[in-house]
Amino acid sequence: MQAMADIKRVIRPGMRVSELGQLIRAHGDGVQAVTGIWHGHGIGIDHDIPVIADEGDEVLEPGMVVSIHPNFADADEEVGASIADVFVVGDEEARGLSKLPYEIVQL
């Protein structure tokens, strides 16, 4: 939940996607969790660019719509969690579309 709250706080036009990916990875490392190879993607026809990953030179630009959904799992990858939000990148900020609080629901 804290990773998504931090993403919501820092995401903005002009950011490299690697900055977001590394922020998410740091949260996983902090709790010894395994994270996926990517943490989100652009929204278009399918899983579009930019890919939100630890590496990547793509820059968030006004008009982009991205889904951020970090995935965390235990070392054995038997138990995991994911929280997602969609962000619209504007001229000066990026706005999350979710109206619900970030919280974990155990299934």
Side-chain angles (χ1 to χ4, degrees):
M1 292 183 303
Q2 188 60 49
M4 280 302 293
D6 285 351
I7 292 292
K8 190 171 190 172
R9 182 178 48 79
V10 303
I11 190 171
R12 66 189 182 289
M15 266 187 114
R16 294 196 182 283
V17 296
S18 58
E19 293 177 75
L20 299 173
Q22 291 167 10
L23 183 145
I24 292 166
R25 170 83 54 195
H27 278 279
D29 291 348
V31 294
Q32 299 177 330
V34 175
T35 57
I37 59 172
W38 48 284
H39 314 290
H41 51 82
I43 296 179
I45 295 173
D46 195 2
H47 290 81
D48 236 332
I49 57 172
V51 172
I52 311 302
D54 298 354
E55 306 292 329
D57 292 329
E58 295 91 353
V59 174
L60 296 178
E61 298 177 16
M64 286 183 165
V65 180
V66 294
S67 173
I68 309 286
H69 48 79
N71 300 301
F72 298 99
D74 67 349
D76 296 327
E77 297 189 42
E78 293 178 357
V79 177
S82 181
I83 296 177
D85 200 347
V86 172
F87 293 87
V88 177
V89 181
D91 290 332
E92 296 182 26
E93 63 182 13
R95 179 175 50 92
L97 298 182
S98 178
K99 303 295 183 213
L100 299 174
Y102 298 146
E103 59 186 14
I104 295 176
V105 176
Q106 192 172 28
L107 300 176

